[in-house]
Amino acid sequence: MNRCHTDCLEKPLSKGFRSLGKLIARYPWLFIAIPIVLSVAFGMGFRYLEQRQSNDLEYQFTPTGGPAKEERDFIRLHFPMNGFGHFSTERLYTDGNFASLIIVNSLQNILTWEALEELQKLDTAVKSLKSESNISFQHVCAQVNVSTCFPANPLLDVLLRNTYHVKLSYPMFQNRTFLGMYLGGVKLGPSDTVTEAKAIKLIYYLREDTAQSKNKSLQWLKHFIKTIPQQIDELQLKCVQVYYSTSISLQNEFEENTRTVIPYFTISFFVTVIFSIVSCMRLDNVRNKVWVALFGVISPGLAIITSFGLLLFCGVPFSVMSVNAPFLILGAGVDDVFIIISCWQQTKVKSPVEERMADTYQEAAVSITITTLTDVLAFYLGIMTHFPSVQSFCTYTGTALVFCYIYCITFFGAVLALNGKHENENRHWLICMKVKDTEEEDNSMVYNKCCVGGSFDTLQGTEKEHPMSVFSYRFYGPFLTNSWTKLLVFVIYIVYLATSIYGCIHIQEGKAFHNLANYNSPLYQFYVIESLYFSKYGPRIMVVVTNEVKYWDWTTHEEIKICMKKLENNYYVEKKYSDSWLTKYGILSKTLNLNITSQDHFLRNLNILYNNYSDYKHDIDRDENKIFSSRFFIQTVNIATVNDEKNMLKQLREIAANCNIPLMVYHPVFIYLDQYEVIIQNTIQNVIVAAAVMLVISLLFIPDPLCSLWVTFAIASIIVGVTGFMAYWKVNLDSISMINLVICIGFSVDFSAHIAYACVSNKKSNGNEMVIDALHSLGYPIVQGALSTILGIVVLYPASSYIFKTFFQIMILVITFGAVHGLVFVPVFLTMFRTWELPCKNKINSPKMKNGKTNTLSETVLAKENPICHKNQRSVRDEIALPGYVDPVLHVINTDITCSICYSRHWQKSTAHQTNDKVKQKDNHKYIDYQRRIVKINFEEVKGSTAELRRDIAALGERTKTLERKHEDLAVDHANLLSYSQILSVQISELVYAVEER
């Protein structure tokens, strides 16, 4: 069955790149100068780097347009918070400004007099801190009245006054103060009284009601971060351990990550350079590719400078996630370099540099164009996400890949052309002087090893193959195409797929934001201790009535009560700790016999409620005639994992949405939990859209529909594998890992596309031989590309940042699974399912003879007519037979020059030619039409082969001259031997005569 080719873009693109290769070979210095000039010019954009940095945690890692942000705006409008005189922690609509200390006594009860004394010393030291601008804690503390700072812990004064006699009820103290966030590691006795506690938290809230007060608070917090470690050391605390944090600590560490990763990139660059040089090095003083490999790494470096500088000039925000891009670009750029070098080494050594560049670009450029286009589109599609950090990363990486591709084609191609000219002149790779190409016995061994070079495969006319390429062709390819190996690979793939799907089902969603802290930082230790001792109770949630309702109406009152009961009955809510001003107002009205059944009385008597419960004044937004909005509070519990956070948010919102009263639930942490609503949706959207785009690109550029489908299949398979094994590696599905899945979409195409394109580009029809040839030419470059990318990112392994650690983990999975698919799974599947190919619509049927058979000869007759060609021809299918030839057209096309000449010489002797002379006259028009179609099909093949034939003829001419010179030398040697033999004959005769005389 014929293979159906869809090469509408592949052929013209190959021709275009062939012309480009010649152009670069003619003017290499121009194509070197332009990228360097662009890099210098656009590199000036890095002076705007500090201005373009956008590292705000909330903005970068929360979805734009999330519902919690709209809810916060509503709360800010109706319930503005005043940190000067009326501060309340549960009524904050932001995280607030604060410094926090956790004091732990892990061995015994912290509620002892000794521990409390040390705690008091620590509290005094914090309150006495003054910033460099002389800002004290009293100047910036949040206040409950004009002169009193909000207490760091409501228990502190009570415990210090009466340690042994006070009975602490937990978690509600004196029925009004919730202690869940202040006391940890608690053991309870009768009546929920505290018998022992392991940890106490002190939280020093600061003002942020005005821009000036917020600025002063930030200055004090920075001073706190700088001096608190020294303060703790000076106190010489013996009974307790202290852990500290502030509201800006995580942001500071997040911004610091950008600076700490720069040394890693420097190491990565030099590691990639060393690997590229070692992997491309040859033991030949002329064809050594040291400089080519070096500039192959410099090329993506220039692309990074140009692309980043251009985007910084254009004002594109730069997030800390974009710092990962250079590691990625370095690996991707070097991968393309290896492909081009491999194709260059397969060209004819004695051909002009222009022809070698043309052949190289014709063979390699389409392949790297496919992979670059898929990578770039995958990243640009990632801009559709709702996370600004993802958008920034995808913008910078996609643009850098574009320039990386352009510079690889131009800058690196020009370097390769210059190196080719040096090779043609047989110049030494290091000193650039001409050297001899053959070793001479008169020279020393050191001279022959260091100053002789330029050898090549004289049989093929190409450079000597790398041992790994030979291994792929002789051993790995045949092993992989063995039937038993295919069966084993198929079984392994089924196990891989099942394991991956199981992992996908159990993957966790969302990101615990404390993971953004560096693992070896005091902040991370603080989060660990907080999770250990203070995780029993979750956030205190606002329940807000968003519209005007008739609170005085009994029906409305009951509807609100029903909604609150539904919320309180949820698994994640403890109803004992709910707080409702409406319930308290009802109890107060009965106690004081107040009338609250009419609008006028209800509103007028609210002042009585405020006199008894002053905090409730901040829970009702009203004027003299109506209530615009109000809020209540519920306490969450049982939130131990990320899944608990996601389920709690989803369930509470669903309950609120189904109430007859317009309700919403809100807490500042919901801003970050909103990622659960969109993370799966965004990921699936990106994967589906990107996979569809990859399929279209593959169909356009890979001239075989089924190979395109296999490439798309590989993308889906790799994504499933990476996602599944993320679960085994304890990597959650969050905005950071979603970025890496976008990378997965693009980079999963690379290795499989290279192999698929190589398979359909060669002319062999046997599936096993196609795969062996593809592995022969691209197996080692794929291994080089995979290893270079892994080496480029392995330097991130010791990084203490969650961002870079996650990037390293997922990229290892992407590259490993991508390489395994490209080198194992896809080649095997291409051979196993080769019979599923689509028939080509433009298939031309061979003309029939009277007996119904095609005009081809039998094997016996063919061998008799042309034994040389029959013995050496390649194994192909009998598809189209030209009248007058002894074998089908593809046999003629796929044989070498010698065989083609044989066919020409045997034209008249062909039995098929004689048979076709007897075709009936009425069939002549079909026969002529058939010939025309055959000529049309082969015209392009003959046209494309002309240049190669000319090169072969030139090579044969060179070899003929060499043989002639050797023949002349042999003739001289023969004459000398005749002369010596005559002399020897005379001497023997004289010797015989002398013997006879004696």
Side-chain angles (χ1 to χ4, degrees):
M1 186 179 293
N2 283 350
R3 281 185 293 173
C4 185
H5 284 254
T6 55
D7 52 2
C8 55
L9 286 180
E10 188 262 346
K11 276 194 174 181
L13 198 61
S14 294
K15 292 180 180 178
F17 277 117
R18 183 176 183 86
S19 300
L20 178 62
K22 290 183 178 180
L23 183 65
I24 293 173
R26 290 188 197 124
Y27 310 105
W29 289 110
L30 176 64
F31 287 94
I32 289 176
I34 292 176
I36 292 177
V37 171
L38 288 177
S39 299
V40 173
F42 288 121
M44 301 298 292
F46 276 87
R47 62 182 178 177
Y48 299 107
L49 179 59
E50 188 172 350
Q51 300 177 27
R52 304 289 187 255
Q53 282 189 354
S54 178
N55 292 332
D56 180 76
L57 281 175
E58 179 185 315
Y59 175 75
Q60 290 295 331
F61 293 101
T62 60
T64 55
K69 292 180 180 178
E70 297 179 1
E71 294 163 358
R72 180 177 61 187
D73 293 338
F74 183 90
I75 301 294
R76 182 187 289 114
L77 176 64
H78 291 277
F79 308 101
M81 191 66 217
N82 184 5
F84 185 70
H86 304 285
F87 184 79
S88 173
T89 56
E90 65 184 10
R91 290 169 174 82
L92 286 171
Y93 52 78
T94 65
D95 291 329
N97 272 353
F98 62 85
S100 181
L101 300 174
I102 295 179
I103 300 90
V104 177
N105 188 344
S106 57
L107 299 178
Q108 54 184 322
N109 187 7
I110 199 171
L111 301 177
T112 61
W113 180 251
E114 293 80 6
L116 291 175
E117 276 190 329
E118 292 189 347
L119 191 149
Q120 185 181 26
K121 291 179 181 179
L122 186 62
D123 178 61
T124 304
V126 171
K127 290 179 178 178
S128 62
L129 288 177
K130 288 186 178 182
S131 68
E132 295 175 355
S133 54
N134 204 32
I135 299 174
S136 66
F137 176 73
Q138 285 70 25
H139 290 148
V140 294
C141 66
Q143 298 177 343
V144 292
N145 55 52
V146 178
S147 59
T148 305
C149 292
F150 187 82
N153 189 312
L155 291 178
L156 193 57
D157 291 338
V158 175
L159 292 173
L160 290 173
R161 286 196 304 266
N162 195 347
T163 306
Y164 297 103
H165 301 288
V166 65
K167 291 185 178 180
L168 296 179
S169 56
Y170 185 87
M172 292 298 294
F173 178 59
Q174 297 178 349
N175 292 323
R176 62 180 182 181
T177 304
F178 185 76
L179 299 180
M181 62 184 295
Y182 293 110
L183 201 60
V186 175
K187 290 184 179 180
L188 298 178
S191 303
D192 290 338
T193 57
V194 178
T195 59
E196 183 179 322
K198 297 292 185 183
I200 288 181
K201 184 188 289 186
L202 303 181
I203 307 177
Y204 301 90
Y205 282 100
L206 309 179
R207 292 176 56 185
E208 55 176 348
D209 49 310
T210 65
Q212 183 180 6
S213 62
K214 186 175 183 179
N215 183 52
K216 289 182 178 181
S217 297
L218 290 176
Q219 291 183 44
W220 189 88
L221 284 176
K222 291 177 181 178
H223 181 70
F224 173 88
I225 295 172
K226 183 179 179 180
T227 59
I228 193 63
Q230 180 182 353
Q231 292 286 335
I232 294 173
D233 291 340
E234 291 177 354
L235 290 175
Q236 297 181 349
L237 304 175
K238 298 178 181 179
C239 299
V240 297
Q241 297 86 42
V242 181
Y243 304 89
Y244 63 92
S245 170
T246 71
S247 55
I248 64 172
S249 294
L250 187 58
Q251 181 67 45
N252 289 346
E253 288 205 5
F254 185 67
E255 294 174 355
E256 184 66 22
N257 287 333
T258 307
R259 292 183 287 271
T260 57
V261 79
I262 293 176
Y264 292 123
F265 178 71
T266 306
I267 297 172
S268 175
F269 182 83
F270 283 107
V271 168
T272 307
V273 167
I274 294 171
F275 173 78
S276 301
I277 291 175
V278 171
S279 63
C280 294
M281 186 179 292
R282 299 290 186 272
L283 297 178
D284 188 289
N285 293 309
V286 173
R287 308 196 189 283
N288 199 323
K289 297 294 188 293
V290 171
W291 296 115
V292 173
L294 175 62
F295 282 95
V297 181
I298 293 175
S299 176
L302 293 176
I304 293 168
I305 294 172
T306 305
S307 57
F308 279 38
L310 174 62
L311 293 174
L312 291 171
F313 264 127
C314 296
V316 179
F318 184 88
S319 73
V320 69
M321 287 302 303
S322 302
V323 178
N324 287 317
F327 298 94
L328 204 60
I329 303 305
L330 202 59
V334 174
D335 181 24
D336 292 343
V337 165
F338 292 142
I339 298 295
I340 292 177
I341 292 176
S342 175
C343 293
W344 168 269
Q345 291 170 341
Q346 295 173 32
T347 59
K348 302 294 183 182
V349 170
K350 292 298 183 180
S351 299
V353 174
E354 287 189 20
E355 288 298 324
R356 295 190 70 182
M357 287 292 293
D359 292 342
T360 300
Y361 274 46
Q362 184 176 6
E363 183 69 23
V366 176
S367 180
I368 65 174
T369 298
I370 295 171
T371 56
T372 300
L373 191 58
T374 53
D375 291 344
V376 170
L377 287 177
F379 282 108
Y380 281 155
L381 288 171
I383 300 175
M384 297 188 304
T385 63
H386 294 83
F387 295 89
S389 58
V390 180
Q391 295 170 353
S392 173
F393 174 82
C394 290
T395 302
Y396 276 89
T397 308
T399 307
L401 282 172
V402 171
F403 280 97
C404 187
Y405 169 75
I406 294 172
Y407 285 2
C408 183
I409 295 294
T410 56
F411 176 82
F412 174 73
V415 172
L416 188 63
L418 290 175
N419 188 76
K421 292 181 179 180
H422 274 244
E423 290 181 358
N424 277 10
E425 296 172 0
N426 218 62
R427 293 182 179 274
H428 197 281
W429 71 272
L430 182 60
I431 59 178
C432 299
M433 294 180 62
K434 290 185 178 181
V435 296
K436 296 180 180 180
D437 58 355
T438 56
E439 296 182 1
E440 298 180 359
E441 294 182 359
D442 296 340
N443 298 327
S444 66
M445 184 180 66
V446 176
Y447 180 88
N448 286 333
K449 292 296 183 182
C450 299
C451 300
V452 176
S455 61
F456 62 95
D457 188 342
T458 56
L459 183 62
Q460 299 293 333
T462 60
E463 295 185 21
K464 292 181 179 179
E465 291 184 313
H466 193 280
M468 286 297 296
S469 298
V470 176
F471 172 81
S472 299
Y473 182 72
R474 293 185 179 179
F475 302 104
Y476 179 68
F479 170 77
L480 191 65
T481 53
N482 180 274
S483 299
W484 288 105
T485 305
K486 292 179 185 179
L487 179 61
L488 177 63
V489 169
F490 186 77
V491 172
I492 292 174
Y493 180 76
I494 295 299
V495 173
Y496 156 82
L497 193 62
T499 306
S500 301
I501 292 174
Y502 180 82
C504 290
I505 296 173
H506 293 84
I507 192 170
Q508 300 291 320
E509 300 172 45
K511 167 178 64 272
F513 270 79
H514 65 258
N515 285 337
L516 293 176
N518 291 337
Y519 298 136
N520 56 2
S521 68
L523 180 61
Y524 187 79
Q525 298 174 16
F526 176 91
Y527 286 141
V528 170
I529 296 299
E530 184 179 47
S531 176
L532 179 63
Y533 292 111
F534 296 93
S535 59
K536 183 177 181 179
Y537 294 98
R540 195 157 176 80
I541 308 299
M542 301 179 194
V543 181
V544 184
V545 180
T546 57
N547 290 342
E548 298 177 23
V549 296
K550 299 177 181 179
Y551 294 92
W552 48 89
D553 183 76
W554 183 85
T555 305
T556 302
H557 190 89
E558 287 299 312
E559 289 289 349
I560 293 175
K561 187 182 293 185
I562 290 171
C563 289
M564 288 295 292
K565 186 171 291 187
K566 288 180 179 178
L567 290 168
E568 291 169 346
N569 289 335
N570 184 267
Y571 170 76
Y572 295 105
V573 177
E574 178 54 71
K575 62 182 179 181
K576 292 190 299 183
Y577 310 128
S578 298
D579 189 9
S580 168
W581 67 267
L582 189 59
T583 301
K584 295 286 180 63
Y585 195 23
I587 295 172
L588 188 65
S589 67
K590 292 179 181 179
T591 303
L592 301 179
N593 197 22
L594 301 175
N595 181 9
I596 58 172
T597 57
S598 66
Q599 179 178 358
D600 183 58
H601 288 91
F602 189 94
L603 294 175
R604 188 186 311 129
N605 290 327
L606 279 175
N607 290 326
I608 300 175
L609 175 68
Y610 299 155
N611 293 333
N612 288 272
Y613 304 97
S614 59
D615 287 340
Y616 289 153
K617 186 175 183 179
H618 306 291
D619 298 330
I620 303 172
D621 180 26
R622 54 164 290 194
D623 62 11
E624 294 181 356
N625 300 316
K626 55 187 175 182
I627 298 176
F628 301 105
S629 179
S630 70
R631 62 184 172 187
F632 317 105
F633 296 92
I634 55 176
Q635 179 60 49
T636 56
V637 292
N638 303 320
I639 302 176
T641 65
V642 171
N643 268 342
D644 290 330
E645 292 179 334
K646 177 188 71 174
N647 294 332
M648 177 270 293
L649 176 63
K650 182 179 179 181
Q651 293 174 19
L652 294 185
R653 279 182 172 169
E654 286 178 352
I655 294 172
N658 292 328
C659 283
N660 294 329
I661 299 296
L663 291 183
M664 77 175 186
V665 290
Y666 174 76
H667 188 274
V669 75
F670 287 3
I671 301 289
Y672 304 98
L673 300 185
D674 269 346
Q675 62 176 306
Y676 303 128
E677 296 293 325
V678 298
I679 195 73
I680 294 293
Q681 172 191 342
N682 272 210
T683 303
I684 294 175
Q685 169 188 296
N686 286 342
V687 169
I688 292 176
V689 174
V693 172
M694 302 306 110
L695 174 60
V696 172
I697 293 173
S698 300
L699 287 171
L700 290 175
F701 286 93
I702 299 179
D704 191 310
L706 277 176
C707 280
S708 302
L709 291 175
W710 279 118
V711 171
T712 308
F713 161 79
I715 297 172
S717 177
I718 294 170
I719 291 173
V720 170
V722 171
T723 307
F725 279 79
M726 280 169 54
Y728 300 121
W729 213 343
K730 305 299 181 184
V731 178
N732 287 1
L733 186 61
D734 53 37
S735 58
I736 294 174
S737 57
M738 188 173 73
I739 288 177
N740 295 281
L741 287 179
V742 172
I743 298 171
C744 179
I745 296 169
F747 280 73
S748 59
V749 182
D750 290 5
F751 303 128
S752 301
H754 287 318
I755 288 294
Y757 181 77
C759 282
V760 301
S761 295
N762 73 58
K763 297 176 182 179
K764 292 186 178 179
S765 60
N766 182 277
N768 288 346
E769 293 184 3
M770 291 172 65
V771 166
I772 291 173
D773 275 3
L775 292 171
H776 179 210
S777 59
L778 291 179
Y780 182 53
I782 287 176
V783 173
Q784 284 178 301
L787 289 178
S788 65
T789 305
I790 290 175
L791 289 174
I793 62 173
V794 76
V795 295
L796 294 177
Y797 178 75
S800 58
S801 168
Y802 170 81
I803 294 174
F804 301 116
K805 184 77 75 175
T806 302
F807 178 78
F808 164 77
Q809 291 173 315
I810 298 182
M811 280 304 300
I812 288 292
L813 293 176
V814 171
I815 300 303
T816 302
F817 290 156
V820 170
H821 276 73
L823 295 173
V824 182
F825 293 146
V826 170
V828 167
F829 294 154
L830 283 173
T831 61
M832 290 177 66
F833 302 98
R834 196 67 193 164
T835 55
W836 291 7
E837 291 178 320
L838 300 173
C840 196
K841 293 182 180 179
N842 60 350
K843 177 182 176 181
I844 301 175
N845 297 318
S846 303
K848 302 291 183 178
M849 296 188 225
K850 290 182 179 180
N851 59 3
K853 298 182 179 179
T854 59
N855 57 346
T856 57
L857 298 179
S858 66
E859 292 290 320
T860 305
V861 176
L862 179 59
K864 182 178 179 180
E865 288 287 332
N866 201 342
I868 298 176
C869 293
H870 180 73
K871 181 179 179 181
N872 297 320
Q873 68 183 1
R874 301 175 186 177
S875 176
V876 294
R877 296 192 300 260
D878 295 341
E879 299 192 5
I880 306 171
L882 276 176
Y885 280 85
V886 297
D887 211 21
V889 172
L890 288 182
H891 286 210
V892 180
I893 295 172
N894 288 336
T895 48
D896 55 22
I897 300 172
T898 308
C899 289
S900 300
I901 296 172
C902 292
Y903 277 110
S904 300
R905 291 177 178 175
H906 284 272
W907 171 272
Q908 296 298 333
K909 296 175 65 177
S910 172
T911 309
H913 173 68
Q914 299 171 12
T915 305
N916 283 323
D917 287 340
K918 301 177 182 180
V919 178
K920 293 182 179 180
Q921 186 66 31
K922 64 180 181 180
D923 294 332
N924 279 350
H925 67 282
K926 295 182 180 179
Y927 173 68
I928 293 170
D929 181 61
Y930 164 74
Q931 284 185 317
R932 286 174 178 171
R933 284 184 286 170
I934 291 299
V935 171
K936 186 177 180 180
I937 289 173
N938 290 286
F939 178 72
E940 290 296 329
E941 291 286 347
V942 173
K943 184 179 179 182
S945 301
T946 302
E948 186 175 355
L949 289 172
R950 288 174 179 170
R951 291 194 298 272
D952 290 337
I953 290 171
L956 287 172
E958 291 292 331
R959 294 180 65 183
T960 301
K961 292 178 181 179
T962 303
L963 290 173
E964 288 176 351
R965 288 194 299 268
K966 290 183 178 179
H967 178 71
E968 292 174 356
D969 294 338
L970 288 172
V972 173
D973 293 339
H974 179 66
N976 292 334
L977 286 173
L978 287 175
S979 177
Y980 291 148
S981 65
Q982 293 175 357
I983 296 171
L984 184 61
S985 178
V986 171
Q987 290 177 348
I988 291 173
S989 299
E990 292 177 351
L991 183 62
V992 170
Y993 177 76
V995 171
E996 290 177 351
E997 285 291 325
R998 288 185 182 182

